[in-house]
Every structure is written in structure tokens, then in C-alpha cells.
Amino acid sequence: MSARPLVLVVSPGDETYRGYCLEQVAAAYDVVLLTGTEPSWEEPFIVDHAVVDLSEPAELLAGGQGLAERHDFAGVLTWDEWNLVPTAHLARALGLTSNSVEVMRACRNKATARTLFASHGVPSAASMRVRTLLEAGLATMTLGYPAVIKPAAFAGSIGVIRVDCPEELPAAFAFASEGASRSREDTGVLVEEYLDGPEFSVECITHRGETTAVAVTRKHLGPAPYFDEIGHTVDGADPLLAQVAPAATAAVRALGITDGVQHVELRLVDGRPRLIEVNARIGGDMIGHLVRLATGIDLPKAAADLACGRAPDITPTHCGAAGIRMLYPDTSGTLTQRQINTPFAAHTPWLRQVQWIREIGEKLLLPPQGDLFTARAGFYIVTGRTTDEVTERLDTAADEITLTTRAD
């Protein structure tokens, strides 16, 4: 029998974007999975598993309780946005460290979060919940243009769109409503004040109610009116961290989060931080991996430590920078060519990873017909000493990559 603590991971996600999370947790803990499909790539990192329908909270709860009958778990965690609430239910049922179900619901629902931000004096965006196009129009009369129309409870910038004038509102409301309809928790739509300024996220670690901002991520967005994230950079010496950390930690506190890793999104408006949302899990798009490359801080291990009631080690071990850029086509269509200059890739040590996620012959669909799941062909990651050097290297690598689609 292993002497290492045993942790239950709910919904490990896909290997491409979340494989590093499971690998880093398994380096310190024995891992049991509660998953929706039979494990494949996960096998080397786990000691046991159960397969359940993760879209059914009752099945998830029963599956976790069944595993607990044959294992003595020290903690349970997930980095899957869609399963934050049922995982909190499971943790409480097993008597393990967790934020409350109500807190996780507040994190998942942007309308609830806005109300809590306002009551705690955390600057965010003015927001109104609407049910119909008529109500959306009335909301814009109060909030003005430009405005943002978005699902109340979704993620990945799906269904989020900017509206600059009344004529754009019907199509925008339909776009946001379609995204909202895919939520399992709340299919409502919000009309919000547009926050005009650069976007960032703050990667936070909270232990027993004390939150530490450990890194700031500079986000790069695709063309308006959509909010697709096309790249991120993390710099261990970024002076912006000190500027935005107080607002991020205040937002975490306002939501009542006591433990875990948070990905807090905000914008700087006239030099001042304004909150977008708090995601109560490790950021997507490999952001946790970028944080480790830039600082040495291990967010997945920290999440497991916190789930087990332990204080994580958040001491940086080095100071550098890292960046990721998503590979999007210029136009929607069938993918006909995808390649990187082989000699360049083989002889460029700062090019840490090139990952293709779509095959030749597959269709790539940009918004409004598609979203990040249908538009991205892959991504690449680089490292450097500073943000400027990483940005230059991202641009250099882009010139060595070919991505071509054929209009259908």
C-alpha cells in the first residue's frame, strides 16, 4: 500500500488542455478518478476509477460515495468548470474540505456574483438580467452602448458579444441566448456595461479564507464583437500584479471562498481594476502550466493540497515568462494544411510545445457560427526572460507555422 495521501479527482478533462493538471497532482498524491469515460491517457496517473454520467449530479454523488466505500480519501477536487457545484456537494457528503455549495453556485452565476461584488464594494460592471429581446433593449437604455450581452452561467467566452448600437441587438441577443441554452444551471441572459480596457486574469490561491495572488496573466482577445481568448502571457516579475491583486483578492472574499485555486478575470478601466468574474478553479488554456514555467508555482498540486486541508507551498522557485498563442484560421472552412517549419521547431529550445488539436479535413468554424471548441486548430507555447521577449518569440514562431482552410 502506498503511504501517499489519496485524492479523488472529478472530471479530469481532456489530455490536451488538462493533462498537465492530473500529472502534477499524481506526482504528489495517489489519484482516483470519477470520470465520464473509461480512462485512456489517464491510466499512468491513477490507482482506481469509476465511470458515471457526469451530467447527472445524483449519479456523480453516488459514484463518488461508492469510491469512498473502498478508499480513504484525504480530499476531492475538480478543475472542471461544469462540475464545481456537484463536486462541492460530494465533498461535503464525504466530510472533506470544500467551499460550500452556495459559494460554488455564486461563482458559477455571474448575476449572483455581481450582486455580491456590489454589496462588498468590489468594482465590477453594471449588470441587468433579462428574459426577452424587449427587456434587453430596455436594459441598454439604462446601461448605454456599447454593452455586453452574455449567458448568466457559462464559460469560455461562449455566447459573449459586444453590441455597439440598437440595430445589432436582435442578433446579439439571439447569439447570447443560444450560448445560455447550453448551461445546465441557469439559462438566463445578462446585459452588462462594457468595460473598455485591457483584460487580465489574476491566479489566486486561498487557504482558510486568506487569499494570495501569485501571478497575473495578460490576455489577448480576438476580433470584436466577440471575446475569444487567442493568447496569454505570464511574467513572474510583472509589476501589474501588485496593482490588480487587491481587487482580485477582494472579489474572492466577497464570494465567500475559503479554499482553493481561483482564476479571477478583470479589466483595467482608466487604470483601475474592474471585475469580470471569479472562476473557482485553475484557469483554462494551459494558464496553470504557464504559471509554473514562469514562476515554478504548481497550481494543480496547490489545489490538491487545499482539497486535503493542507497549506500549499506558494514560494516561487524562479522568475521568467511564458506565453501561449492559439491557432485560429483566417476564415471558417475545411482544414487543408497545418504544419510548422521542422528545422525551426527542432532547433528552438524556447519553443516549448506545439500542439495540434484538429486534423486535416476537419471543419473549423469561427464565431458567430462556431466557438473556441470549433475554431481552434491548435496552440504553441514559448518561454523567455520577460513579457517583451515572449511576445517577440510568439510572433517569430507564428511566421514558421502554416494554417490553411478552404471555404466550403
Side-chain angles (χ1 to χ4, degrees):
M1 293 289 292
S2 171
R4 302 196 310 170
L6 194 63
V7 66
L8 175 60
V9 172
V10 177
S11 186
D14 70 303
E15 181 179 15
T16 300
Y17 285 110
R18 290 301 196 184
Y20 79 93
C21 293
L22 187 61
E23 181 178 359
Q24 287 171 217
V25 171
Y29 290 87
D30 286 345
V31 177
V32 174
L33 284 189
L34 188 59
T35 181
T37 58
E38 281 295 329
S40 53
W41 63 270
E42 304 98 331
E43 285 285 0
F45 307 115
I46 65 174
V47 298
D48 196 6
H49 75 278
V51 178
V52 299
D53 184 351
L54 294 174
S55 67
E56 294 293 337
E59 289 194 28
L60 190 154
L61 179 62
Q65 290 173 320
L67 286 169
E69 291 176 358
R70 60 179 190 259
H71 295 290
D72 184 15
F73 292 122
V76 57
L77 76 153
T78 188
W79 39 78
D80 180 1
E81 177 74 20
W82 321 117
N83 283 297
L84 289 172
V85 173
T87 299
H89 269 291
L90 174 59
R92 287 305 166 98
L94 300 181
L96 298 171
T97 300
S98 174
N99 294 289
S100 72
V101 172
E102 291 72 25
V103 165
M104 289 296 96
R105 283 186 178 136
C107 293
R108 287 285 301 126
N109 192 296
K110 297 174 178 63
T112 304
R114 289 271 185 258
T115 300
L116 289 169
F117 292 157
S119 66
H120 287 80
V122 179
S124 66
S127 178
M128 300 179 69
R129 185 183 180 88
V130 300
R131 295 169 297 177
T132 64
L133 175 59
L134 176 59
E135 290 182 357
L138 294 173
T140 60
M141 293 175 66
T142 299
L143 299 174
Y145 289 99
V148 176
I149 318 294
K150 67 199 307 184
F154 216 64
S157 300
I158 292 171
V160 185
I161 186 169
R162 193 179 86 186
V163 183
D164 292 325
C165 61
E167 290 74 20
E168 296 173 356
L169 188 58
F173 182 77
F175 179 75
S177 297
E178 194 282 326
S181 70
R182 296 157 64 178
S183 173
R184 300 203 309 253
E185 297 161 343
D186 187 333
T187 57
V189 171
L190 303 180
V191 178
E192 296 193 339
E193 168 193 11
Y194 174 65
L195 301 178
D196 191 4
E199 187 165 331
F200 306 89
S201 65
V202 185
E203 318 316 322
C204 296
I205 294 176
T206 302
H207 177 54
R208 296 181 179 175
E210 293 296 323
T211 301
T212 303
V214 298
V216 61
T217 304
R218 294 178 180 259
K219 296 182 172 294
H220 306 276
L221 303 182
Y226 310 105
F227 292 81
D228 282 2
E229 296 174 355
I230 62 172
H232 312 273
T233 57
V234 177
D235 188 330
D238 197 326
L240 184 64
L241 181 60
Q243 182 180 353
V244 298
T249 57
V252 172
R253 186 166 54 250
L255 288 167
I257 295 172
T258 56
D259 295 277
V261 174
Q262 301 85 40
H263 172 69
V264 182
E265 298 181 339
L266 53 85
R267 285 193 170 205
L268 282 182
V269 181
D270 297 326
R272 296 181 179 180
R274 302 274 298 277
L275 262 293
I276 298 174
E277 62 190 46
V278 174
N279 301 280
R281 40 83 181 166
I282 299 166
D285 285 356
M286 305 291 287
I287 286 174
H289 183 53
L290 298 184
V291 169
R292 193 179 194 193
L293 290 173
T295 70
I297 296 172
D298 189 333
L299 293 183
K301 181 180 181 298
D305 291 339
L306 292 160
C308 295
R310 298 176 167 187
D313 183 359
I314 58 175
T315 306
T317 59
H318 59 268
C319 185
I324 185 171
R325 187 168 293 176
M326 306 301 167
L327 292 167
Y328 284 81
D330 292 331
T331 59
S332 296
T334 300
L335 181 61
T336 58
Q337 188 178 21
R338 46 153 242 198
Q339 65 184 46
I340 184 168
N341 182 326
T342 302
F344 172 79
H347 298 96
T348 307
W350 48 257
L351 181 63
R352 303 297 290 262
Q353 183 179 355
V354 178
Q355 179 70 53
W356 298 107
I357 59 178
R358 305 299 292 274
E359 301 295 332
I360 299 295
E362 291 189 61
K363 292 186 183 300
L364 300 179
L365 291 177
L366 297 166
Q369 291 79 19
D371 52 41
L372 65 88
F373 297 113
T374 64
R376 292 176 176 177
F379 61 81
Y380 60 98
I381 293 173
V382 309
T383 53
R385 292 166 293 183
T386 65
T387 298
D388 287 345
E389 186 170 65
V390 163
T391 300
E392 180 181 340
R393 288 175 171 180
L394 287 168
D395 291 340
T396 298
D399 292 336
E400 305 293 335
I401 296 173
T402 302
L403 179 66
T404 307
T405 55
R406 180 188 68 247
D408 297 319

